[in-house]
Amino acid sequence: MHKVIFDTDPGVDDAMALLFLHRHPAIDLVGITTVFGNASIETTTRNALFLKQAWNIPAPVAKGSGETLDPDRPHVGWPTGIHGDDGLGNIGVPAEIDLPLDPRCAHRFIIDTVRANPGDVTLVAVGRMTNLARALRADPEIARLVRSVVIMGGAFDVTGNITPAAEANIHGDTEAADAVMTAPWPVAVIGLDVTTKTVMSRAMLSDIAERGGRPARLLSDISQFYIDFYEHHVDDGMIVHDSCACVYVVAPELFQTRGGAIRVICGGIADGQTLQKPDGRLFPPNAWDDFPSQQTCVGIDADAVLKLIGDTLANGS
Ligand SMILES: [Ca+2]
């Protein structure tokens, strides 16, 4: 079993990833921590509570950060054209959800849970890396106590999606992302190199909605606005960015990876770019030296990943 804390900014593809984690038999979802990104922290936290309630997810929700690690970093507007004004495809999420939040803030929840389960917790982070960086800053020793960190973010051998250089989750808090990539915990980065190859067709989503009961129908309703956005980018359907990271936790054999230290460019026109120094390549002394080798995904068996997502979403209890 994998004990997972899901750090998320729901977000349409976040919603699919959450249902995947909830329904996969090898995952024990022990917490949901929220971060700003696809919408404000108030909206993403409300959405996490909405999905917890709708899908009867036992894991607690802890509210996270609404501000970048460097508070002077300029604010980038919310991507309402992709995720809707409510962050969940404009399905009409109630303004308030009558469920309690965990009393701790997200980074404290992460620290406490990791310390209570040394060596056991996998952090799956599919929004900005702010909460993870704050947890590291408050308690650097947790890096040695986490089982692994799996990130959706970055663009290594391909162009970005928010600038030619940068992917949105990394660009949204570059200093935080660099802190996470360079910490002494094992990180696997699932970036645009592989997620953009993983497109769920409308037909597949409607088949899941038919087989997966009411929770899957809600997921399908949430996803329609996002699919309309992707009409300009893919032939048919939606890129399932965040679910790819969740699949990596249970089926890493469906990905090809490359090892090497990873840095995030902070500032300038390439702000948010992720750059890896592949293991074994020799250079004069540079800013990648002495940082841990992390794994970047460079290949994916997209058909097998989509099948695993579809079967998991459809096979609810
Ligand atoms: Ca996300």
Side-chain angles (χ1 to χ4, degrees), residues 82 95 114 140 265:
I82 306 173
V114 167
I265 309 305

Side-chain angles (χ1 to χ4, degrees), residues 6 17 59 70 84 107 134 145 155 171 189 221 238 253 258 298:
F6 187 47
D70 172 359
H107 78 267
R134 282 194 203 286
L145 301 173
H171 185 264
V189 187
D221 290 346
M238 61 188 278
E253 68 278 5
R258 181 177 68 208
V298 293

Side-chain angles (χ1 to χ4, degrees), residues 34-109:
T34 60
V35 68
F36 70 127
N38 288 328
S40 71
I41 187 64
E42 285 72 28
T43 300
T44 60
T45 304
R46 186 273 316 261
N47 290 351
L49 288 173
F50 170 72
L51 295 170
K52 171 182 162 68
Q53 187 175 60
W55 292 337
N56 205 14
I57 296 174
V61 174
K63 182 178 178 181
S65 198
E67 159 171 303
T68 48
L69 200 60
D70 172 359
D72 295 331
R73 178 160 275 278
H75 171 69
V76 181
W78 313 125
T80 53
I82 306 173
H83 295 271
D85 294 319
D86 67 359
L88 289 178
N90 289 340
I91 57 159
V93 181
E96 303 225 355
I97 306 298
D98 188 21
L99 276 184
L101 283 168
D102 191 277
R104 293 162 289 186
C105 60
H107 78 267
R108 183 52 56 188
F109 178 89

